[in-house]
Amino acid sequence: WTDEICLKENVYDEPHLRLTKGIHLTVERQRFPIQQAIVMTTPIEKRILFAIPHPFFTFIGTTDTEFIGSLDRDVVATKEDLQYILKIVNHHMERLNLKVEDVKSTWAGVRPLIREDSKNASSVSRDFKIHHHGYNLFTIYGGKLTTYRHMAKVVVSKIIESCFKNTTIISKTSKNAA
């Protein structure tokens, strides 16, 4: 919701984010029995998809498509998303012949990537940026789930640096201190 809030509050004049949607799906392990994670490439975009074993299921994902819609209502896995993933799996493992009916559950999320209009969704950088807007407002965007701890450390350091930028800390010791 960074762009929505910052545009509404006139923090900046144009969107800074490029939202992409990623979905995962779950099938019963007996329908896709694997012992270790598998990496599959998509035939056209040359992206990668993962299949990850779980004791009862196999998790498969993810897509990387433009997201247009409401962040409150439209972050869902569509039938087209499911068909896309299943087509890739079936391309690599024809004997499985997975169908939409085999999907037991799905989940979806939106990546708040740095706006790079010239690239396709999968090629957009996963780097992050921090903006300090001159008053006590910082925005952080971009990045990815696997770097969230590093991102948090960097933004907290920037906030602390900003808070103490024009502050002189005077420390006095007393001879009578216990």
Side-chain angles (χ1 to χ4, degrees), residues 29-176:
R29 179 109 182 247
Q30 62 200 28
R31 283 294 285 126
F32 193 170
I34 56 175
Q35 300 303 313
Q36 58 193 17
I38 295 174
V39 178
M40 297 167 274
T41 57
T42 61
I44 297 171
E45 306 95 343
K46 303 299 181 201
R47 293 186 54 256
I48 58 172
L49 244 62
F50 297 94
I52 301 173
H54 175 274
F56 305 107
F57 301 99
T58 298
F59 304 122
I60 312 165
T62 178
T63 59
D64 200 3
T65 56
E66 296 294 332
F67 177 76
I68 298 170
S70 168
L71 290 168
D72 298 320
R73 293 186 315 272
D74 301 328
V75 184
V76 296
T78 65
K79 187 173 182 180
E80 293 78 21
D81 293 328
L82 301 182
Q83 290 170 336
Y84 172 80
I85 287 179
L86 295 174
K87 181 179 177 182
I88 294 163
V89 171
N90 289 330
H91 170 80
H92 288 282
M93 302 184 175
E94 294 176 13
R95 67 174 174 78
L96 292 178
N97 194 28
L98 292 175
K99 298 179 176 18
V100 171
E101 298 78 36
D102 293 314
V103 175
K104 298 302 176 188
S105 65
T106 64
W107 68 94
V110 174
R111 297 175 195 89
L113 303 177
I114 298 168
R115 187 179 242 2
E116 294 177 1
D117 291 326
S118 61
K119 296 182 177 182
N120 68 34
S122 297
S123 299
V124 176
S125 170
R126 274 30 181 190
D127 288 341
F128 68 95
K129 288 186 179 180
I130 301 168
H131 278 209
H132 181 202
H133 300 282
Y135 39 102
N136 292 328
L137 175 65
F138 288 80
T139 56
I140 183 170
Y141 53 95
K144 56 187 189 174
L145 184 61
T146 55
T147 60
Y148 77 93
R149 286 179 182 253
H150 172 69
M151 292 167 56
K153 182 178 177 181
V154 173
V155 77
V156 168
S157 295
K158 297 268 185 203
I159 291 168
I160 291 169
E161 178 184 307
S162 173
C163 288
F164 294 105
K165 191 178 203 175
N166 296 317
T167 304
T168 303
I169 300 173
I170 300 172
S171 175
K172 292 184 179 182
T173 56
S174 169
K175 291 179 184 176
N176 298 329

Side-chain angles (χ1 to χ4, degrees), residues 1-17 131 133 135 137-141:
W1 293 270
T2 301
D3 272 350
E4 288 181 27
I5 293 167
C6 288
L7 291 167
K8 180 180 176 184
E9 297 298 322
N10 297 314
V11 173
Y12 47 73
D13 297 330
E14 59 186 35
H16 282 52
L17 297 177
H131 278 209
H133 300 282
Y135 39 102
L137 175 65
F138 288 80
T139 56
I140 183 170
Y141 53 95

